[in-house]
Structure formats: C-alpha cells, structure tokens
C-alpha cells in the first residue's frame, strides 16, 4: 500500500540529499549526452550544435524541478562550492554532494552508451578513439579544440563558470528583482543555454566538474582507455579545477558588485516608538548639530538607539527584528 511505501523514506537527511543530487545530475546528463550522441553519430543529420546546447538546458530545467525541494538542485560541484562559500550549505556537504553528482553523471553515461551502442559502433567502425574524424569520446566528456592553449582553455572555464554563478545567485534576492520560485529552473536553464551558445567553442563548455569527470571515468572503463586522461597533454584536470575557481570568483563578484550594494531591508512600520533617554537625545542632537542630520551616520545612530530602547535586535539572515529575551 501507499502507507507502507512511505516507510521507504530514507531517515538521514544527508543520504536523501545525496540521492537527489545523484538523480538530478543523472537526468541532466541523460538529456545532454543523448543529444550529443544523436548529433555525432548521425553526422549532424539529426540535430546540430544548437541541439546539444538546448538538450543540456532542458536537462538543467528538468533536474531542477525534480530536486529543488530537497537540496536546491546544485547538480554541479562548483555550485555546491559557491553555496558553501556563501554559508548557505555546510562545508560537510561539499564532498558528499560532489561525489553524488559525479556518480549520477557516470551512470547516465553508461545508459546513453547502451541506448546508442549500435550507432556509436557504426559511426566509429568499432574503434573507440579520442582523436580523428570518427572519434566518439566527445559524446561524453569535453575536450579542447586543437588551436587553444592550456592557459586559454583554463581561462575559458573560469570565465564560463563565473558567469554562471554571477547570473544565478541573484535570482532569489528579495531586495533586487527576485524571480518567482516556480520560474527559477527555466531561467537558470536559459542562462546555461546562453553560456553554452557563446562560450563552448574553445573546449566544450563543461563549467561543471561532475559533468566532465563522470563521463570521462565511464569512457576510461568502457573501451576508450587511458587516452581520455592523457590526451592533449593531460588536459583532463582543467574542467575539474578551473570551474571551482570560477565559481568562487563569480560568487565574490556578485557579493561585491550586487549584494553589498543593495539597499538595506525596510524596517517594520508598526514598531512602537519608545521614549529616548536624555543621554541618547544629547548624542543625537550633537550629531544633528554638526550638519549631518540627513547622513547615514545619523540614521544608523538613531537606529542603534531605537533598537536598544525597544530591547530589540536583528538576528535573522533576512534582517527580521526580534525582541530581546
């Protein structure tokens, strides 16, 4: 019965959250890698470059709707790192979330390979390689273009991931122009689509260590061999390290240029006005007498005195006022 099935609910919150990150990243990669396999093996007769970008974006949207209620739908170790930096997620969650995301990407790659096995073998003539016109490794993981240098590809991934975090962090900010919660997934998907369409020519636009490492580990074990790690002068570490740095830079950019510059939240208009002691009155009069009656200094002084006499303090993250006990 349904009541008995309800007993299958996992007791520990961390395990539930890891399950959500696993299945969310799985869904994301199923859409993206399936599209890449279809486009590659059909020699672009059943889709094009844009098809893959759109499929990944649909995967992001679907995975977010699926898992937002459990973890907030990170789907990306770089996003998890950003939320840890912002103290929205405990640092103890970073490694379990990241491993779950890598596992989800790995399992999705396995399933895509099984679904498109015949097409991949026909296209590659039975030889699974990283190089050449019939290479199929790029269906799963990302690889750099022949022309790009190591440093430039590293910069590419830093910038792409920084743009991702810079654009998504403000979506729930009440002091700005917050998006309706139900529309956040398609908005994030559109941001990902924009980045994929504009910043993926150089080296595939991973901007997600799990999205790259999971499929790369799969190709290592499925017949492509160690070349997936040694190719292009051991390039594999770039989409693992650069997105993490980009996430931190994007987060700091958002904090400095946006969050710290937003107006302070409005105080409740119905708070009682207490009598101000003579000592505090003299302090206020001294500040106003110096010609700074409209300055932030005087306003903050009045607020401090007001809260002290109301016996209230600001203790919530959203600056809600609470009476001291």
């Amino acid at each position: 019965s349904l009541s008995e099935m309800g007993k299958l609910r996992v007791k520990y919150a961390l395990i539930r959250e890891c399950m959500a990150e696993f299945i969310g990243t799985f869904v994301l990669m199923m859409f993206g890698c399936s599209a890449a396999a279809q486009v590659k093996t059909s020699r672009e007769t059943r889709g094009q470059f844009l098809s893959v970008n759109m499929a990944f974006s649909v995967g992001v949207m679907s995975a977010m709707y699926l898992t937002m209620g459990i973890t907030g739908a990170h789907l990306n170790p770089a996003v998890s790192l950003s939320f840890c930096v912002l103290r929205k997620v405990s640092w103890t969650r970073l490694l379990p979330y990241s491993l779950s995301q890598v596992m989800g990407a790995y399992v999705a790659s396995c399933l895509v390979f099984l679904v498109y096995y015949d097409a991949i073998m026909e296209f590659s003539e039975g030889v699974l390689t990283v190089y050449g016109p019939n290479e199929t490794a790029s269906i799963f993981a990302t690889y750099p273009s022949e022309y790009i240098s190591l440093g430039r590809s590293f910069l590419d991934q830093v910038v792409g991931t920084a743009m991702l975090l810079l654009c998504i962090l403000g979506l729930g900010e009440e002091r700005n122009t917050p998006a309706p919660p139900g529309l956040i997934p398609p908005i994030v998907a559109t941001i990902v689509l924009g980045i994929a369409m504009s910043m993926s020519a150089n080296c595939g636009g991973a901007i997600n260590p799990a999205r790259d490492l999971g499929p790369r580990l799969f190709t290592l074990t499925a017949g492509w061999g160690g070349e997936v790690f040694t190719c292009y002068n051991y390039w594999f570490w770039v989409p693992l390290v650069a997105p993490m740095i980009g996430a931190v830079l994007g987060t700091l950019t958002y904090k400095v240029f946006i969050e710290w510059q937003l107006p302070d939240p409005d105080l409740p208009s119905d708070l009682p006005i207490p009598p101000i002691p003579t000592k505090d009155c003299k302090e206020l009069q001294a500040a106003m007498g110096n010609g700074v009656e409209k300055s932030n200094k005087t306003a903050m002084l009045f607020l401090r005195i007001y809260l002290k006499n109301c016996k209230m303090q600001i203790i919530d993250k959203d600056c809600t006022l609470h009476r001291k006990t």
Side-chain angles (χ1 to χ4, degrees), residues 34-56:
S34 294
Q38 178 172 305
V39 171
K40 170 72 76 172
T41 58
S42 70
R43 301 185 189 275
E44 297 193 4
T45 60
R46 293 183 176 88
Q48 296 175 324
F49 177 69
L50 180 61
S51 307
V52 182
N53 295 335
M54 294 183 69
F56 268 110

mmCIF file with all atom_site columns, all heavy atoms in Angstrom, residues 34-56:
data_model
loop_
_atom_site.group_PDB
_atom_site.id
_atom_site.type_symbol
_atom_site.label_atom_id
_atom_site.label_alt_id
_atom_site.label_comp_id
_atom_site.label_asym_id
_atom_site.label_entity_id
_atom_site.label_seq_id
_atom_site.pdbx_PDB_ins_code
_atom_site.Cartn_x
_atom_site.Cartn_y
_atom_site.Cartn_z
_atom_site.occupancy
_atom_site.B_iso_or_equiv
_atom_site.pdbx_formal_charge
_atom_site.auth_seq_id
_atom_site.auth_comp_id
_atom_site.auth_asym_id
_atom_site.auth_atom_id
_atom_site.pdbx_PDB_model_num
ATOM 1   N N   . SER A 1 34 ? 22.746 12.217 -24.554 1.00 0.00 ? 34 SER A N   1
ATOM 2   C CA  . SER A 1 34 ? 21.926 11.589 -25.593 1.00 0.00 ? 34 SER A CA  1
ATOM 3   C C   . SER A 1 34 ? 21.868 12.471 -26.835 1.00 0.00 ? 34 SER A C   1
ATOM 4   O O   . SER A 1 34 ? 21.974 11.984 -27.968 1.00 0.00 ? 34 SER A O   1
ATOM 5   C CB  . SER A 1 34 ? 20.509 11.329 -25.069 1.00 0.00 ? 34 SER A CB  1
ATOM 6   O OG  . SER A 1 34 ? 20.521 10.362 -24.041 1.00 0.00 ? 34 SER A OG  1
ATOM 7   N N   . ALA A 1 35 ? 21.706 13.761 -26.622 1.00 0.00 ? 35 ALA A N   1
ATOM 8   C CA  . ALA A 1 35 ? 21.690 14.686 -27.757 1.00 0.00 ? 35 ALA A CA  1
ATOM 9   C C   . ALA A 1 35 ? 23.038 14.693 -28.467 1.00 0.00 ? 35 ALA A C   1
ATOM 10  O O   . ALA A 1 35 ? 23.103 14.692 -29.709 1.00 0.00 ? 35 ALA A O   1
ATOM 11  C CB  . ALA A 1 35 ? 21.337 16.092 -27.290 1.00 0.00 ? 35 ALA A CB  1
ATOM 12  N N   . ALA A 1 36 ? 24.127 14.684 -27.684 1.00 0.00 ? 36 ALA A N   1
ATOM 13  C CA  . ALA A 1 36 ? 25.454 14.667 -28.290 1.00 0.00 ? 36 ALA A CA  1
ATOM 14  C C   . ALA A 1 36 ? 25.666 13.401 -29.106 1.00 0.00 ? 36 ALA A C   1
ATOM 15  O O   . ALA A 1 36 ? 26.244 13.444 -30.210 1.00 0.00 ? 36 ALA A O   1
ATOM 16  C CB  . ALA A 1 36 ? 26.522 14.789 -27.201 1.00 0.00 ? 36 ALA A CB  1
ATOM 17  N N   . ALA A 1 37 ? 25.193 12.263 -28.592 1.00 0.00 ? 37 ALA A N   1
ATOM 18  C CA  . ALA A 1 37 ? 25.321 11.004 -29.323 1.00 0.00 ? 37 ALA A CA  1
ATOM 19  C C   . ALA A 1 37 ? 24.503 11.028 -30.612 1.00 0.00 ? 37 ALA A C   1
ATOM 20  O O   . ALA A 1 37 ? 24.964 10.574 -31.671 1.00 0.00 ? 37 ALA A O   1
ATOM 21  C CB  . ALA A 1 37 ? 24.868 9.843  -28.434 1.00 0.00 ? 37 ALA A CB  1
ATOM 22  N N   . GLN A 1 38 ? 23.304 11.569 -30.540 1.00 0.00 ? 38 GLN A N   1
ATOM 23  C CA  . GLN A 1 38 ? 22.437 11.630 -31.722 1.00 0.00 ? 38 GLN A CA  1
ATOM 24  C C   . GLN A 1 38 ? 23.041 12.518 -32.806 1.00 0.00 ? 38 GLN A C   1
ATOM 25  O O   . GLN A 1 38 ? 23.058 12.158 -33.987 1.00 0.00 ? 38 GLN A O   1
ATOM 26  C CB  . GLN A 1 38 ? 21.064 12.151 -31.315 1.00 0.00 ? 38 GLN A CB  1
ATOM 27  C CG  . GLN A 1 38 ? 20.073 12.298 -32.469 1.00 0.00 ? 38 GLN A CG  1
ATOM 28  C CD  . GLN A 1 38 ? 18.686 12.618 -31.972 1.00 0.00 ? 38 GLN A CD  1
ATOM 29  O OE1 . GLN A 1 38 ? 18.143 11.892 -31.141 1.00 0.00 ? 38 GLN A OE1 1
ATOM 30  N NE2 . GLN A 1 38 ? 18.099 13.691 -32.478 1.00 0.00 ? 38 GLN A NE2 1
ATOM 31  N N   . VAL A 1 39 ? 23.543 13.667 -32.408 1.00 0.00 ? 39 VAL A N   1
ATOM 32  C CA  . VAL A 1 39 ? 24.124 14.605 -33.374 1.00 0.00 ? 39 VAL A CA  1
ATOM 33  C C   . VAL A 1 39 ? 25.411 14.032 -33.973 1.00 0.00 ? 39 VAL A C   1
ATOM 34  O O   . VAL A 1 39 ? 25.623 14.071 -35.189 1.00 0.00 ? 39 VAL A O   1
ATOM 35  C CB  . VAL A 1 39 ? 24.398 15.969 -32.706 1.00 0.00 ? 39 VAL A CB  1
ATOM 36  C CG1 . VAL A 1 39 ? 25.202 16.873 -33.633 1.00 0.00 ? 39 VAL A CG1 1
ATOM 37  C CG2 . VAL A 1 39 ? 23.083 16.640 -32.325 1.00 0.00 ? 39 VAL A CG2 1
ATOM 38  N N   . LYS A 1 40 ? 26.285 13.482 -33.124 1.00 0.00 ? 40 LYS A N   1
ATOM 39  C CA  . LYS A 1 40 ? 27.572 12.961 -33.590 1.00 0.00 ? 40 LYS A CA  1
ATOM 40  C C   . LYS A 1 40 ? 27.402 11.771 -34.523 1.00 0.00 ? 40 LYS A C   1
ATOM 41  O O   . LYS A 1 40 ? 27.952 11.740 -35.632 1.00 0.00 ? 40 LYS A O   1
ATOM 42  C CB  . LYS A 1 40 ? 28.434 12.584 -32.390 1.00 0.00 ? 40 LYS A CB  1
ATOM 43  C CG  . LYS A 1 40 ? 29.695 11.812 -32.699 1.00 0.00 ? 40 LYS A CG  1
ATOM 44  C CD  . LYS A 1 40 ? 30.759 12.653 -33.372 1.00 0.00 ? 40 LYS A CD  1
ATOM 45  C CE  . LYS A 1 40 ? 31.441 13.560 -32.382 1.00 0.00 ? 40 LYS A CE  1
ATOM 46  N NZ  . LYS A 1 40 ? 32.606 14.249 -32.979 1.00 0.00 ? 40 LYS A NZ  1
ATOM 47  N N   . THR A 1 41 ? 26.634 10.773 -34.098 1.00 0.00 ? 41 THR A N   1
ATOM 48  C CA  . THR A 1 41 ? 26.540 9.535  -34.875 1.00 0.00 ? 41 THR A CA  1
ATOM 49  C C   . THR A 1 41 ? 25.717 9.696  -36.149 1.00 0.00 ? 41 THR A C   1
ATOM 50  O O   . THR A 1 41 ? 25.865 8.902  -37.078 1.00 0.00 ? 41 THR A O   1
ATOM 51  C CB  . THR A 1 41 ? 25.943 8.403  -34.021 1.00 0.00 ? 41 THR A CB  1
ATOM 52  O OG1 . THR A 1 41 ? 24.645 8.782  -33.546 1.00 0.00 ? 41 THR A OG1 1
ATOM 53  C CG2 . THR A 1 41 ? 26.859 8.104  -32.832 1.00 0.00 ? 41 THR A CG2 1
ATOM 54  N N   . SER A 1 42 ? 24.870 10.703 -36.203 1.00 0.00 ? 42 SER A N   1
ATOM 55  C CA  . SER A 1 42 ? 24.095 10.953 -37.434 1.00 0.00 ? 42 SER A CA  1
ATOM 56  C C   . SER A 1 42 ? 24.833 11.904 -38.372 1.00 0.00 ? 42 SER A C   1
ATOM 57  O O   . SER A 1 42 ? 24.312 12.253 -39.421 1.00 0.00 ? 42 SER A O   1
ATOM 58  C CB  . SER A 1 42 ? 22.726 11.546 -37.084 1.00 0.00 ? 42 SER A CB  1
ATOM 59  O OG  . SER A 1 42 ? 22.857 12.877 -36.601 1.00 0.00 ? 42 SER A OG  1
ATOM 60  N N   . ARG A 1 43 ? 26.025 12.293 -37.977 1.00 0.00 ? 43 ARG A N   1
ATOM 61  C CA  . ARG A 1 43 ? 26.826 13.270 -38.735 1.00 0.00 ? 43 ARG A CA  1
ATOM 62  C C   . ARG A 1 43 ? 26.025 14.548 -38.992 1.00 0.00 ? 43 ARG A C   1
ATOM 63  O O   . ARG A 1 43 ? 26.001 15.092 -40.092 1.00 0.00 ? 43 ARG A O   1
ATOM 64  C CB  . ARG A 1 43 ? 27.341 12.657 -40.041 1.00 0.00 ? 43 ARG A CB  1
ATOM 65  C CG  . ARG A 1 43 ? 28.199 11.418 -39.794 1.00 0.00 ? 43 ARG A CG  1
ATOM 66  C CD  . ARG A 1 43 ? 28.823 10.871 -41.058 1.00 0.00 ? 43 ARG A CD  1
ATOM 67  N NE  . ARG A 1 43 ? 29.450 9.576  -40.785 1.00 0.00 ? 43 ARG A NE  1
ATOM 68  C CZ  . ARG A 1 43 ? 30.688 9.410  -40.296 1.00 0.00 ? 43 ARG A CZ  1
ATOM 69  N NH1 . ARG A 1 43 ? 31.432 10.467 -40.033 1.00 0.00 ? 43 ARG A NH1 1
ATOM 70  N NH2 . ARG A 1 43 ? 31.169 8.198  -40.077 1.00 0.00 ? 43 ARG A NH2 1
ATOM 71  N N   . GLU A 1 44 ? 25.339 14.975 -37.949 1.00 0.00 ? 44 GLU A N   1
ATOM 72  C CA  . GLU A 1 44 ? 24.551 16.206 -37.912 1.00 0.00 ? 44 GLU A CA  1
ATOM 73  C C   . GLU A 1 44 ? 23.363 16.200 -38.874 1.00 0.00 ? 44 GLU A C   1
ATOM 74  O O   . GLU A 1 44 ? 22.875 17.245 -39.285 1.00 0.00 ? 44 GLU A O   1
ATOM 75  C CB  . GLU A 1 44 ? 25.428 17.435 -38.168 1.00 0.00 ? 44 GLU A CB  1
ATOM 76  C CG  . GLU A 1 44 ? 26.494 17.633 -37.104 1.00 0.00 ? 44 GLU A CG  1
ATOM 77  C CD  . GLU A 1 44 ? 27.157 19.001 -37.173 1.00 0.00 ? 44 GLU A CD  1
ATOM 78  O OE1 . GLU A 1 44 ? 26.738 19.825 -37.994 1.00 0.00 ? 44 GLU A OE1 1
ATOM 79  O OE2 . GLU A 1 44 ? 28.100 19.232 -36.384 1.00 0.00 ? 44 GLU A OE2 1
ATOM 80  N N   . THR A 1 45 ? 22.861 15.011 -39.202 1.00 0.00 ? 45 THR A N   1
ATOM 81  C CA  . THR A 1 45 ? 21.632 14.940 -39.998 1.00 0.00 ? 45 THR A CA  1
ATOM 82  C C   . THR A 1 45 ? 20.405 14.860 -39.094 1.00 0.00 ? 45 THR A C   1
ATOM 83  O O   . THR A 1 45 ? 19.280 15.069 -39.554 1.00 0.00 ? 45 THR A O   1
ATOM 84  C CB  . THR A 1 45 ? 21.647 13.710 -40.924 1.00 0.00 ? 45 THR A CB  1
ATOM 85  O OG1 . THR A 1 45 ? 21.744 12.516 -40.131 1.00 0.00 ? 45 THR A OG1 1
ATOM 86  C CG2 . THR A 1 45 ? 22.823 13.783 -41.899 1.00 0.00 ? 45 THR A CG2 1
ATOM 87  N N   . ARG A 1 46 ? 20.615 14.555 -37.819 1.00 0.00 ? 46 ARG A N   1
ATOM 88  C CA  . ARG A 1 46 ? 19.514 14.522 -36.840 1.00 0.00 ? 46 ARG A CA  1
ATOM 89  C C   . ARG A 1 46 ? 19.850 15.439 -35.657 1.00 0.00 ? 46 ARG A C   1
ATOM 90  O O   . ARG A 1 46 ? 19.857 15.033 -34.509 1.00 0.00 ? 46 ARG A O   1
ATOM 91  C CB  . ARG A 1 46 ? 19.274 13.091 -36.346 1.00 0.00 ? 46 ARG A CB  1
ATOM 92  C CG  . ARG A 1 46 ? 18.732 12.167 -37.418 1.00 0.00 ? 46 ARG A CG  1
ATOM 93  C CD  . ARG A 1 46 ? 18.433 10.786 -36.853 1.00 0.00 ? 46 ARG A CD  1
ATOM 94  N NE  . ARG A 1 46 ? 17.824 9.927  -37.849 1.00 0.00 ? 46 ARG A NE  1
ATOM 95  C CZ  . ARG A 1 46 ? 18.504 9.165  -38.711 1.00 0.00 ? 46 ARG A CZ  1
ATOM 96  N NH1 . ARG A 1 46 ? 19.843 9.173  -38.674 1.00 0.00 ? 46 ARG A NH1 1
ATOM 97  N NH2 . ARG A 1 46 ? 17.877 8.405  -39.579 1.00 0.00 ? 46 ARG A NH2 1
ATOM 98  N N   . GLY A 1 47 ? 20.120 16.675 -35.982 1.00 0.00 ? 47 GLY A N   1
ATOM 99  C CA  . GLY A 1 47 ? 20.452 17.651 -34.954 1.00 0.00 ? 47 GLY A CA  1
ATOM 100 C C   . GLY A 1 47 ? 21.770 18.328 -35.263 1.00 0.00 ? 47 GLY A C   1
ATOM 101 O O   . GLY A 1 47 ? 22.560 17.864 -36.100 1.00 0.00 ? 47 GLY A O   1
ATOM 102 N N   . GLN A 1 48 ? 21.999 19.442 -34.584 1.00 0.00 ? 48 GLN A N   1
ATOM 103 C CA  . GLN A 1 48 ? 23.214 20.207 -34.785 1.00 0.00 ? 48 GLN A CA  1
ATOM 104 C C   . GLN A 1 48 ? 23.772 20.650 -33.428 1.00 0.00 ? 48 GLN A C   1
ATOM 105 O O   . GLN A 1 48 ? 23.274 20.248 -32.385 1.00 0.00 ? 48 GLN A O   1
ATOM 106 C CB  . GLN A 1 48 ? 22.929 21.423 -35.686 1.00 0.00 ? 48 GLN A CB  1
ATOM 107 C CG  . GLN A 1 48 ? 22.485 21.046 -37.091 1.00 0.00 ? 48 GLN A CG  1
ATOM 108 C CD  . GLN A 1 48 ? 22.098 22.248 -37.914 1.00 0.00 ? 48 GLN A CD  1
ATOM 109 O OE1 . GLN A 1 48 ? 21.524 23.206 -37.400 1.00 0.00 ? 48 GLN A OE1 1
ATOM 110 N NE2 . GLN A 1 48 ? 22.403 22.220 -39.204 1.00 0.00 ? 48 GLN A NE2 1
ATOM 111 N N   . PHE A 1 49 ? 24.792 21.510 -33.487 1.00 0.00 ? 49 PHE A N   1
ATOM 112 C CA  . PHE A 1 49 ? 25.429 22.018 -32.267 1.00 0.00 ? 49 PHE A CA  1
ATOM 113 C C   . PHE A 1 49 ? 24.393 22.618 -31.317 1.00 0.00 ? 49 PHE A C   1
ATOM 114 O O   . PHE A 1 49 ? 24.425 22.379 -30.107 1.00 0.00 ? 49 PHE A O   1
ATOM 115 C CB  . PHE A 1 49 ? 26.470 23.060 -32.666 1.00 0.00 ? 49 PHE A CB  1
ATOM 116 C CG  . PHE A 1 49 ? 27.154 23.730 -31.513 1.00 0.00 ? 49 PHE A CG  1
ATOM 117 C CD1 . PHE A 1 49 ? 28.034 23.034 -30.695 1.00 0.00 ? 49 PHE A CD1 1
ATOM 118 C CD2 . PHE A 1 49 ? 26.929 25.071 -31.235 1.00 0.00 ? 49 PHE A CD2 1
ATOM 119 C CE1 . PHE A 1 49 ? 28.666 23.661 -29.628 1.00 0.00 ? 49 PHE A CE1 1
ATOM 120 C CE2 . PHE A 1 49 ? 27.555 25.703 -30.177 1.00 0.00 ? 49 PHE A CE2 1
ATOM 121 C CZ  . PHE A 1 49 ? 28.426 24.989 -29.380 1.00 0.00 ? 49 PHE A CZ  1
ATOM 122 N N   . LEU A 1 50 ? 23.450 23.375 -31.852 1.00 0.00 ? 50 LEU A N   1
ATOM 123 C CA  . LEU A 1 50 ? 22.423 24.001 -31.023 1.00 0.00 ? 50 LEU A CA  1
ATOM 124 C C   . LEU A 1 50 ? 21.549 22.962 -30.328 1.00 0.00 ? 50 LEU A C   1
ATOM 125 O O   . LEU A 1 50 ? 21.078 23.179 -29.215 1.00 0.00 ? 50 LEU A O   1
ATOM 126 C CB  . LEU A 1 50 ? 21.563 24.945 -31.869 1.00 0.00 ? 50 LEU A CB  1
ATOM 127 C CG  . LEU A 1 50 ? 20.439 25.676 -31.140 1.00 0.00 ? 50 LEU A CG  1
ATOM 128 C CD1 . LEU A 1 50 ? 20.999 26.560 -30.031 1.00 0.00 ? 50 LEU A CD1 1
ATOM 129 C CD2 . LEU A 1 50 ? 19.616 26.515 -32.126 1.00 0.00 ? 50 LEU A CD2 1
ATOM 130 N N   . SER A 1 51 ? 21.346 21.817 -30.985 1.00 0.00 ? 51 SER A N   1
ATOM 131 C CA  . SER A 1 51 ? 20.521 20.760 -30.395 1.00 0.00 ? 51 SER A CA  1
ATOM 132 C C   . SER A 1 51 ? 21.109 20.286 -29.069 1.00 0.00 ? 51 SER A C   1
ATOM 133 O O   . SER A 1 51 ? 20.377 20.074 -28.085 1.00 0.00 ? 51 SER A O   1
ATOM 134 C CB  . SER A 1 51 ? 20.417 19.567 -31.351 1.00 0.00 ? 51 SER A CB  1
ATOM 135 O OG  . SER A 1 51 ? 19.980 19.964 -32.622 1.00 0.00 ? 51 SER A OG  1
ATOM 136 N N   . VAL A 1 52 ? 22.424 20.108 -29.030 1.00 0.00 ? 52 VAL A N   1
ATOM 137 C CA  . VAL A 1 52 ? 23.083 19.651 -27.808 1.00 0.00 ? 52 VAL A CA  1
ATOM 138 C C   . VAL A 1 52 ? 22.951 20.699 -26.719 1.00 0.00 ? 52 VAL A C   1
ATOM 139 O O   . VAL A 1 52 ? 22.641 20.384 -25.562 1.00 0.00 ? 52 VAL A O   1
ATOM 140 C CB  . VAL A 1 52 ? 24.565 19.334 -28.078 1.00 0.00 ? 52 VAL A CB  1
ATOM 141 C CG1 . VAL A 1 52 ? 25.236 18.819 -26.810 1.00 0.00 ? 52 VAL A CG1 1
ATOM 142 C CG2 . VAL A 1 52 ? 24.699 18.330 -29.210 1.00 0.00 ? 52 VAL A CG2 1
ATOM 143 N N   . ASN A 1 53 ? 23.165 21.972 -27.078 1.00 0.00 ? 53 ASN A N   1
ATOM 144 C CA  . ASN A 1 53 ? 23.041 23.050 -26.092 1.00 0.00 ? 53 ASN A CA  1
ATOM 145 C C   . ASN A 1 53 ? 21.639 23.106 -25.509 1.00 0.00 ? 53 ASN A C   1
ATOM 146 O O   . ASN A 1 53 ? 21.465 23.253 -24.294 1.00 0.00 ? 53 ASN A O   1
ATOM 147 C CB  . ASN A 1 53 ? 23.372 24.396 -26.752 1.00 0.00 ? 53 ASN A CB  1
ATOM 148 C CG  . ASN A 1 53 ? 24.813 24.483 -27.191 1.00 0.00 ? 53 ASN A CG  1
ATOM 149 O OD1 . ASN A 1 53 ? 25.680 23.815 -26.656 1.00 0.00 ? 53 ASN A OD1 1
ATOM 150 N ND2 . ASN A 1 53 ? 25.077 25.308 -28.197 1.00 0.00 ? 53 ASN A ND2 1
ATOM 151 N N   . MET A 1 54 ? 20.642 22.980 -26.363 1.00 0.00 ? 54 MET A N   1
ATOM 152 C CA  . MET A 1 54 ? 19.259 23.044 -25.889 1.00 0.00 ? 54 MET A CA  1
ATOM 153 C C   . MET A 1 54 ? 18.907 21.832 -25.039 1.00 0.00 ? 54 MET A C   1
ATOM 154 O O   . MET A 1 54 ? 18.184 21.943 -24.046 1.00 0.00 ? 54 MET A O   1
ATOM 155 C CB  . MET A 1 54 ? 18.310 23.169 -27.080 1.00 0.00 ? 54 MET A CB  1
ATOM 156 C CG  . MET A 1 54 ? 18.452 24.483 -27.838 1.00 0.00 ? 54 MET A CG  1
ATOM 157 S SD  . MET A 1 54 ? 17.263 24.664 -29.184 1.00 0.00 ? 54 MET A SD  1
ATOM 158 C CE  . MET A 1 54 ? 15.737 24.843 -28.261 1.00 0.00 ? 54 MET A CE  1
ATOM 159 N N   . ALA A 1 55 ? 19.435 20.671 -25.406 1.00 0.00 ? 55 ALA A N   1
ATOM 160 C CA  . ALA A 1 55 ? 19.140 19.463 -24.631 1.00 0.00 ? 55 ALA A CA  1
ATOM 161 C C   . ALA A 1 55 ? 19.732 19.561 -23.225 1.00 0.00 ? 55 ALA A C   1
ATOM 162 O O   . ALA A 1 55 ? 19.080 19.189 -22.239 1.00 0.00 ? 55 ALA A O   1
ATOM 163 C CB  . ALA A 1 55 ? 19.687 18.234 -25.356 1.00 0.00 ? 55 ALA A CB  1
ATOM 164 N N   . PHE A 1 56 ? 20.953 20.056 -23.114 1.00 0.00 ? 56 PHE A N   1
ATOM 165 C CA  . PHE A 1 56 ? 21.543 20.251 -21.789 1.00 0.00 ? 56 PHE A CA  1
ATOM 166 C C   . PHE A 1 56 ? 20.704 21.239 -20.971 1.00 0.00 ? 56 PHE A C   1
ATOM 167 O O   . PHE A 1 56 ? 20.517 21.060 -19.757 1.00 0.00 ? 56 PHE A O   1
ATOM 168 C CB  . PHE A 1 56 ? 22.984 20.748 -21.904 1.00 0.00 ? 56 PHE A CB  1
ATOM 169 C CG  . PHE A 1 56 ? 24.007 19.654 -21.916 1.00 0.00 ? 56 PHE A CG  1
ATOM 170 C CD1 . PHE A 1 56 ? 24.716 19.357 -23.072 1.00 0.00 ? 56 PHE A CD1 1
ATOM 171 C CD2 . PHE A 1 56 ? 24.257 18.910 -20.771 1.00 0.00 ? 56 PHE A CD2 1
ATOM 172 C CE1 . PHE A 1 56 ? 25.661 18.337 -23.086 1.00 0.00 ? 56 PHE A CE1 1
ATOM 173 C CE2 . PHE A 1 56 ? 25.202 17.892 -20.769 1.00 0.00 ? 56 PHE A CE2 1
ATOM 174 C CZ  . PHE A 1 56 ? 25.907 17.601 -21.940 1.00 0.00 ? 56 PHE A CZ  1
#
